[in-house]
Amino acid sequence: SGPDPDAGLLGFRQVSDTLGSTPWYLRLLRDESAVAQRLALLLSTSRYASELLTRAPEAVSMLADTDELLPQPKQALVDEARSLAARHQGTEQAAAAVRGLRRRELFRIAAADLLGLLAVEEVAAALSDVADATVDAALGSAVARVEAELGEPLPTRVLVVAMGRLGGRDLSYASDADVMYVHDPLPGADEVAATRAATAVVKALRASLSVASVEPPLALDADLRPEGRQGPLVRTLASYRAYYERYSAPWEAQALLRARPLAGDDELAAQFVQLIDPVRYPAAGLSAADVVGVRRLKARMESE
């Protein structure tokens, strides 16, 4: 009775080929009729959910308990992701473990969504929480890797800022993650060396989440940064301040409305928020020129 029964049957065969010799799987299907019903519905409805499940068939056990299908609290996700990354400090295995956790949680959310257990807003928030935990743990692993290569602690503080739909906690299943990268050299550190180290961390972070593997990738898009693709990937806090004071366009102030610190140094996060608040919430409101700029951009978006 599903939209695509043949796809459902194929998915069931793939899951069963992997788990068929596992006693708990057969017992689950025999004793929990709701599991079989839910499994049939998911596999015949969503190719996305089916692919997630066939990569880790043991997740089918979640279907036995409705409470198990509800999204995990964000802090629990962050703690688990950090613990997984710490077991493989600064290695490719750390990124793989964190992405595996993300895949599991994506299936949990997709299953709850398809079974009518979550509202649209709850799905978006849950997807955003999973992305947050993934980036947070991957950043810690990237810092550890770069510090191991340098043979000393990082000479700068690093911050990942969520932007766009991620910043607004409004992700969809197909969304990439819009972010900006900020760093602030430690007292006495050479700014060039600090920027080089921060850039190495960001490149390691992006690579660990997007490298081809059996786990679904999480693309980090930094196009909303100052000067877009033409600007430096990582800027110092002072550079952001100088840019926003001199060159900030109305659309950039609008983009900052959804900016929020995601991962990294807490003190730097507070300083960055203090920096951007006057830009996105101007005390005098929008000027006439800003209003014209917003309307022009809106017209351009509609025409294109």
Side-chain angles (χ1 to χ4, degrees):
S1 61
D4 193 345
D6 289 340
L9 190 60
L10 175 61
F12 180 72
R13 175 181 175 179
Q14 291 171 332
V15 171
S16 298
D17 281 348
T18 304
L19 296 178
S21 60
T22 307
W24 67 261
Y25 174 65
L26 299 175
R27 190 163 52 246
L28 188 69
L29 293 180
R30 182 192 66 197
D31 298 340
E32 301 284 350
S33 59
V35 172
Q37 185 69 29
R38 287 173 168 178
L39 182 60
L41 174 65
L42 296 179
L43 295 176
S44 63
T45 301
S46 171
R47 181 182 302 173
Y48 179 79
S50 298
E51 290 177 352
L52 291 171
L53 184 58
T54 52
R55 287 172 182 165
E58 65 277 3
V60 74
S61 62
M62 293 182 189
L63 301 178
D65 185 349
T66 298
D67 290 340
E68 270 291 299
L69 290 173
L70 299 179
Q72 302 296 295
K74 179 179 175 179
Q75 191 56 52
L77 292 173
V78 169
D79 292 343
E80 183 178 0
R82 288 179 177 178
S83 177
L84 285 172
R87 295 177 199 170
H88 312 278
Q89 191 73 303
T91 66
E92 293 181 3
Q93 287 78 10
V98 171
R99 287 175 61 176
L101 179 150
R102 176 171 175 265
R103 183 251 310 130
R104 183 197 72 196
E105 294 305 315
L106 290 176
F107 174 74
R108 190 195 307 273
I109 296 166
D113 187 2
L114 290 166
L115 295 172
L117 303 177
L118 297 176
V120 172
E121 295 84 358
E122 292 173 311
V123 172
L127 291 171
S128 302
D129 287 346
V130 172
D132 282 9
T134 303
V135 174
D136 176 270
L139 176 63
S141 183
V143 168
R145 185 182 309 180
V146 172
E147 288 183 335
E149 293 171 355
L150 294 174
E152 60 183 7
L154 214 62
T156 187
R157 301 179 298 165
V158 178
L159 174 69
V160 179
V161 179
M163 301 288 290
R165 297 189 68 167
L166 177 60
R169 300 186 74 245
D170 188 32
L171 282 190
S172 71
Y173 293 104
S175 298
D176 55 14
D178 289 311
V179 296
M180 295 196 304
Y181 305 104
V182 189
H183 84 101
D184 188 39
L186 297 177
D190 177 71
E191 184 170 323
V192 174
T195 299
R196 189 182 304 120
T199 302
V201 168
V202 167
K203 288 182 176 180
L205 168 66
R206 288 160 61 95
S208 69
L209 295 178
S210 61
V211 65
S213 76
V214 296
E215 308 296 356
L218 177 61
L220 299 182
D221 188 336
D223 287 354
L224 290 177
R225 67 187 186 272
E227 301 178 90
R229 296 181 182 179
Q230 307 304 316
L233 185 61
V234 188
R235 283 180 181 265
T236 64
L237 184 66
S239 176
Y240 275 100
R241 179 177 291 107
Y243 179 86
Y244 287 132
E245 287 177 353
R246 300 176 189 175
Y247 307 113
S248 179
W251 74 264
E252 290 177 303
Q254 284 186 292
L256 288 174
L257 288 171
R258 293 200 285 188
R260 63 178 175 85
L262 190 162
D265 187 87
D266 290 339
E267 183 180 354
L268 181 55
Q271 291 174 329
F272 185 77
V273 170
Q274 187 177 25
L275 165 64
I276 65 173
D277 273 354
V279 180
R280 57 183 177 175
Y281 307 126
L286 292 176
S287 68
D290 288 342
V291 173
V292 171
V294 169
R295 288 177 173 165
R296 283 178 176 169
L297 179 61
K298 181 173 183 292
R300 177 182 167 189
M301 292 170 65
E302 291 173 347
S303 67
E304 293 180 0

